Structure formats: structure tokens, C-alpha cells
């Protein structure tokens, strides 16, 4: 139907690819651990929105420009790498916010938890982290067409359908990861200082991933 073949293989392969760790998963886990499941789900929804941009761009051929134009690829790559590094620096600079009640034996104000980001900003982080990564665009161009018949009457429609299926399964995984991380953090009673350092470690990884993206070559 719609010129799509091996749909089961596509779904299984897509799930396995979504499970592979990357900046998206790290962002979700960091936000869920530090601010709870709502923050993690906000990041997941932002990532899903970014994926829809890639799906639409690939369906109409815009992503092909990244695959054929070295200049376009380089511009998007550097912007994406800069943004990921900027997010990482922000995580490294995170601080505990002052407690509202009580003090330690020396009279110092207690700190409670890392400062909370608004959900809309977390959504934007997820969106931009995904949409500014040219490797995601190239992935869709390389992966999805393998499951579309060469003689399909409407290849863009088939691409959109497969892309939506991939993103739906990805959202199931991402939101499940957000809920699991938040639940595990609550069960383990992760202390604010531990959550802060988890945030900082994730920030360091983001900086490394940004540097890796900056050094990535067009294929």
C-alpha cells in the first residue's frame, strides 16, 4: 500500500535506531532526572517536532540540498554544533538554587535543587537540538527510501507515512524514557547535588557531541 514494502522490518529497525543513545536521549534523561517527567516529556515532544521538520523537508526534497551542497551542509553543521555546545555549557554552569527554609549548622542557607527551566524552553532545546543536526536529515534520506518501491506512484506521500510511523515509535520510546528516568530518580531519591552533577556530566557530553558534529564530514 502506498508503495511501501517490508513495513514490519521498517518498524523494528526504527525502534532499534531510536533506542541507540545520542544527544536526544541524554537531554531527555537529564531533564527528567533534574525536573521530573514533565520536563523530560517536554524535551521529547520538542525532539518529535524537530523530527517532523526533517521528515517534511526530506519529503519535498529540501534535505537533498544538504546531501549535495557542501556549503549548506557546513552551515547547518556549524550552527547545530554551536547550539549543542551552548546547551552543554549551560548545563555545566547550572547551580543549586537557594533553599526557602532552614539553614545548616553554620547558618548558611540550604540549597534545594538545580534551577528549573520553563517547559517551553526545554521544548525549544529538544526541537533545536534535533532540527539543527544535519546528520538527522541525511539519515532520513538514506534510511526511509529503502522501504519505498522504486515504481511507487506517490513517493513523497509514502515517505511522509513512513516518517510519521518512525516518529510515532520514537515518541513512544522518548516519552517512556522520560517517565522511566523520572520514576527511577524518585525511587532512588536522587539528591539535588547528585542531580546537579548529572546535569553537568550531561553538559560535558553535549560539548563533546557538538565538537564531534563540527568535525563530521558530508557523505
Amino acid at each position: 500500500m502506498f508503495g511501501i514494502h517490508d513495513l514490519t522490518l521498517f518498524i523494528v529497525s526504527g525502534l532499534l535506531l531510536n533506542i541507540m543513545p545520542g544527544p536526544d536521549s541524554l537531554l531527555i534523561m537529564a531533564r527528567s532526572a533534574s525536573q521530573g517527567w514533565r520536563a523530560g516529556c517536554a524535551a521529547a515532544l520538542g525532539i518529535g517536532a524537530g523530527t517532523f521538520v526533517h521528515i517534511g523537508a526530506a519529503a519535498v526534497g529540501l534535505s537533498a540540498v544538504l546531501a549535495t551542497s557542501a556549503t549548506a551542509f557546513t552551515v547547518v553543521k556549524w550552527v547545530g554544533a554551536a547550539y549543542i555546545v551552548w546547551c552543554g555549557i549551560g548545563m555545566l554552569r547550572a547551580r543549586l538554587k537557594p533553599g526557602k527554609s532552614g539553614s545548616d549548622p553554620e547558618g548558611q542557607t540550604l540549597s534545594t535543587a538545580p534551577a528549573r527551566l520553563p517547559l517551553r524552553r526545554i521544548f525549544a532545546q529538544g526541537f533545536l537540538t534535533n532540527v539543527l543536526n544535519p546528520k538527522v536529515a541525511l539519515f532520513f534520506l538514506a534510511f526511509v527510501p529503502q522501504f519505498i518501491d522504486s515504481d511507487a506512484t506517490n513517493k513523497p506521500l509514502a515517505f511522509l507515512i513512513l516518517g510519521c510511523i518512525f516518529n510515532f515509535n520514537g515518541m513512544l520510546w522518548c516519552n517512556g524514557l522520560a517517565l522511566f528516568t523520572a520514576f527511577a530518580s524518585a525511587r532512588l531519591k536522587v539528591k539535588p547535588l547528585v542531580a546537579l552533577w548529572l546535569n553537568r556530566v550531561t553538559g560535558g557530553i553535549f560539548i563533546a557531541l557538538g565538537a564531534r558534529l563540527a568535525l563530521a564530514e558530508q557523505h
Side-chain angles (χ1 to χ4, degrees), residues 4-11 146-147:
I4 297 171
H5 62 84
D6 297 323
L7 182 58
T8 302
L9 177 60
F10 174 81
I11 292 173
Q146 298 179 51
F147 299 90

Side-chain angles (χ1 to χ4, degrees), residues 68-143:
T68 57
S69 171
T71 301
F73 180 86
T74 300
V75 170
V76 175
K77 178 186 72 172
W78 279 104
V79 171
Y83 182 74
I84 292 175
V85 170
W86 183 78
C87 287
I89 293 173
M91 292 178 181
L92 285 176
R93 296 179 63 190
R95 297 287 187 272
L96 291 175
K97 64 181 181 181
K100 293 184 178 180
S101 62
S103 59
D104 64 16
E106 298 181 358
Q108 299 295 322
T109 302
L110 292 175
S111 295
T112 56
R116 301 173 69 87
L117 292 177
L119 294 183
R120 63 180 180 276
R121 183 173 173 185
I122 296 174
F123 176 91
Q125 281 186 340
F127 177 80
L128 293 173
T129 298
N130 186 277
V131 81
L132 291 177
N133 188 345
K135 288 292 187 179
V136 178
L138 298 185
F139 161 78
F140 278 107
L141 285 177
F143 178 67

Side-chain angles (χ1 to χ4, degrees), residues 161-174:
I161 292 171
L162 288 174
C164 288
I165 292 172
F166 180 90
N167 202 19
F168 176 78
N169 291 333
M171 285 297 92
L172 290 178
W173 164 254
C174 289

Side-chain angles (χ1 to χ4, degrees), residues 21-48:
D24 293 348
S25 297
L26 289 172
L27 180 63
I28 292 168
M29 294 176 68
R31 292 309 176 206
S32 289
S34 60
Q35 289 188 219
W37 67 269
R38 289 182 179 84
C41 287
L45 291 175
I47 289 164

